[in-house]
Amino acid sequence: MRANYFKAAEVINQAYNVESSFDSAKRYDLMVVYDDDITAVLRSMNVYRQIKQKNPAARLVVVGGEGLLQIAFTVMRLSLKIRGNRFASHVLQKETEAARLKRVAIALGVKETEIDVLDKGHNTTENLQAVSQYAKGKKVLVVSTQRLAMIFKQSADFQCNTEPQKHRCCFLDYDLYVIHQSVTDTLHWYNFQIAGNGRVSLHLFASLVRRFDVYDGKFLRKPFEADLQTKEADLLLRKRFLIKQRVSGLKKIRVYFQYIPIIWDIFRHAEEYLFDEINAIENAEHL
């Protein structure tokens, strides 16, 4: 993969960076992990410990439906079965993103009785409905990796705190704890961002400028008008890596071709996923 693609992604990553508003002096009732990446759990256990010291009754809430995880697990199970590794295939049980976050949190020492799972949402709005309704009247700390933090912030501020009735949400009293990462820092097998030689990660960064433009005033407010450098980076990535979902005819063929290197890479590296997740959990800070 050419270095200029990752350089362009880093321009977008930094442009949409969000600073944490977490205040260790505050008393939080909930820590909500709102992410599809177990990094958000792996690198927030110290914060959870601080929250529990201030408020022993505080709870951990994990959020996320099926997403890429279901496709990836199906491909990996097939790969492992074909290669005769039925034990490893059995280990890859079907689970939602939230269920996986819960499993990792338990492995890191969080009591299962302290964790609530919100995994019925199929999109950002449904996830925000679930979180805001569950957290009504409570002080919340939301944990997110850098690549998703701005999407959450602008969506929550708009759907929960500007137009809650329209989007069937409740007011969400929250602070953010952002796990800051460079683009290359995000590339792991355990979160699939490295799949397709980094294509999964590059697709996300290829979608950000467009997402804020298209959904502005509908599901979020775009935080700013992208500057020339950001627009140039977006143009470079969008042509090559943006996987458009709502297309028809010949354009659909291109979408299928974009998936091929990603699916093939996941198929080939099923064992690496398992080892990478195990190592990440072992190397994380336990409670």
Side-chain angles (χ1 to χ4, degrees):
M1 188 67 68
R2 284 160 47 186
N4 64 323
Y5 292 134
F6 289 101
K7 184 177 180 180
E10 190 59 49
V11 168
I12 295 173
N13 185 42
Q14 293 304 321
Y16 291 101
N17 186 26
V18 181
E19 291 303 319
S20 295
S21 54
F22 167 61
D23 184 347
S24 60
K26 287 185 180 179
R27 184 182 188 276
Y28 295 98
D29 300 302
L30 304 172
M31 187 173 98
V32 175
V33 180
Y34 190 101
D35 213 293
D36 59 2
D37 185 346
I38 63 171
T39 300
V41 173
L42 297 172
R43 291 181 52 183
S44 65
M45 288 297 95
N46 184 54
V47 173
Y48 184 65
R49 183 187 299 116
Q50 293 178 53
I51 290 173
K52 292 292 287 185
Q53 289 175 346
K54 287 281 184 182
N55 179 10
R59 298 186 63 78
L60 179 67
V61 181
V62 289
V63 184
E66 294 186 346
L68 172 66
L69 199 63
Q70 298 307 307
I71 299 173
F73 276 16
T74 299
V75 171
M76 288 190 296
R77 281 195 295 266
L78 175 62
S79 172
L80 292 166
K81 285 181 180 179
I82 289 174
R83 284 183 273 177
N85 196 337
R86 293 189 173 273
F87 173 77
S89 177
H90 179 71
V91 169
L92 288 170
Q93 296 296 317
K94 181 179 180 181
E95 58 185 355
T96 61
E97 291 168 353
R100 185 177 179 227
L101 295 172
K102 175 183 177 180
R103 173 169 57 80
V104 173
I106 292 172
L108 295 179
V110 180
K111 297 177 182 177
E112 184 172 7
T113 54
E114 295 177 8
I115 306 174
D116 297 307
V117 175
L118 303 178
D119 63 357
K120 304 305 180 185
H122 295 90
N123 52 49
T124 301
T125 295
E126 291 183 6
N127 286 333
L128 287 174
Q129 289 169 354
V131 171
S132 64
Q133 290 166 13
Y134 178 90
K136 188 175 182 180
K138 296 181 173 66
K139 183 64 179 178
V140 179
L141 180 68
V142 176
V143 177
S144 176
T145 53
Q146 180 173 335
R147 64 192 177 86
L148 298 177
M150 184 67 83
I151 295 173
F152 173 83
K153 181 180 185 301
Q154 299 305 117
S155 299
D157 287 350
F158 187 73
Q159 296 187 42
C160 299
N161 298 349
T162 302
E163 295 185 348
Q165 291 184 330
K166 178 180 178 181
H167 298 283
R168 292 186 296 164
C169 293
C170 300
F171 177 80
L172 186 62
D173 182 10
Y174 76 95
D175 286 337
L176 265 177
Y177 180 73
V178 181
I179 297 168
H180 297 286
Q181 297 175 294
S182 69
V183 174
T184 53
D185 285 341
T186 71
L187 302 178
H188 301 284
W189 276 113
Y190 68 68
N191 60 12
F192 301 108
Q193 295 300 306
I194 199 172
N197 202 12
R199 281 177 172 83
V200 172
S201 180
L202 292 173
H203 160 68
L204 183 280
F205 292 108
S207 71
L208 282 181
V209 174
R210 178 179 180 273
R211 184 184 189 117
F212 288 117
D213 284 340
V214 171
Y215 294 143
D216 184 37
K218 299 175 182 177
F219 299 103
L220 49 72
R221 289 288 186 200
K222 63 180 177 181
F224 49 79
E225 188 65 39
D227 62 19
L228 180 60
Q229 184 185 28
T230 304
K231 288 181 178 179
E232 289 176 346
D234 168 65
L235 183 62
L236 176 65
L237 295 179
R238 194 187 298 197
K239 286 182 177 180
R240 177 81 183 270
F241 300 105
L242 180 63
I243 301 176
K244 297 179 181 178
Q245 304 296 327
R246 297 178 182 178
V247 294
S248 59
L250 293 177
K251 290 183 178 179
K252 246 185 179 177
I253 297 175
R254 182 176 182 274
V255 170
Y256 295 144
F257 275 108
Q258 285 178 287
Y259 276 115
I260 289 173
I262 295 172
I263 297 300
W264 175 242
D265 219 16
I266 292 173
F267 182 88
R268 289 173 55 234
H269 294 278
E271 287 89 351
E272 282 89 337
Y273 163 81
L274 288 170
F275 290 130
D276 204 23
E277 183 184 85
I278 291 169
N279 288 335
I281 293 171
E282 289 180 347
N283 292 328
E285 182 179 8
H286 291 61
L287 289 177

